[in-house]
Amino acid sequence: MSLTLRTISREQHLAYIQSLPSASHMQVPAWADVKAEWRSENLGWFDDRTGEMVGAGLVLYRQLPKIKRYLAYLPRARSSTGSRRTSRSGSSRCSPT
């Protein structure tokens, strides 16, 4: 499967999370609101063949002290459909595809 990664809206991200049987609370778009010193971005993984969103992730960015670089962090990996292995908490493990 070939995937394309692109920015999605908070609403698209939340709708996708709600369609899953389980997901970490740290992947809900509102989790970014709790992290006041972090910027956020909602990303979607799309199947190139069908155009269907097959994964979504909340990325948090924080500027590193004294330099103009950012740390990017996906709390609890991404949430996805399909046959991805899941951890005991129900969160998807992030693996390159």
Side-chain angles (χ1 to χ4, degrees), residues 70-83:
Y70 286 85
L71 170 73
Y73 168 61
L74 275 84
R76 291 286 189 169
R78 73 180 194 283
S79 301
S80 64
T81 57
S83 60

Side-chain angles (χ1 to χ4, degrees), residues 14-91:
L14 185 57
Y16 183 79
I17 294 290
Q18 290 173 335
S19 75
L20 300 175
S22 68
S24 170
H25 68 280
M26 287 188 250
Q27 273 300 313
V28 175
W31 180 249
D33 300 336
V34 174
K35 307 296 255 176
E37 296 179 12
W38 297 69
R39 292 184 318 141
S40 66
E41 183 176 22
N42 298 285
L43 297 177
W45 281 261
F46 294 85
D47 183 328
D48 287 342
R49 188 175 50 80
T50 65
E52 175 187 10
M53 188 183 333
V54 295
L58 173 66
V59 182
L60 300 175
Y61 299 97
R62 183 165 182 170
Q63 189 169 3
L64 297 171
K66 301 183 183 182
I67 59 175
K68 295 191 184 222
R69 304 265 180 181
Y70 286 85
L71 170 73
Y73 168 61
L74 275 84
R76 291 286 189 169
R78 73 180 194 283
S79 301
S80 64
T81 57
S83 60
R84 301 259 187 248
R85 293 175 55 195
T86 57
S87 66
R88 282 181 236 159
S89 68
S91 303

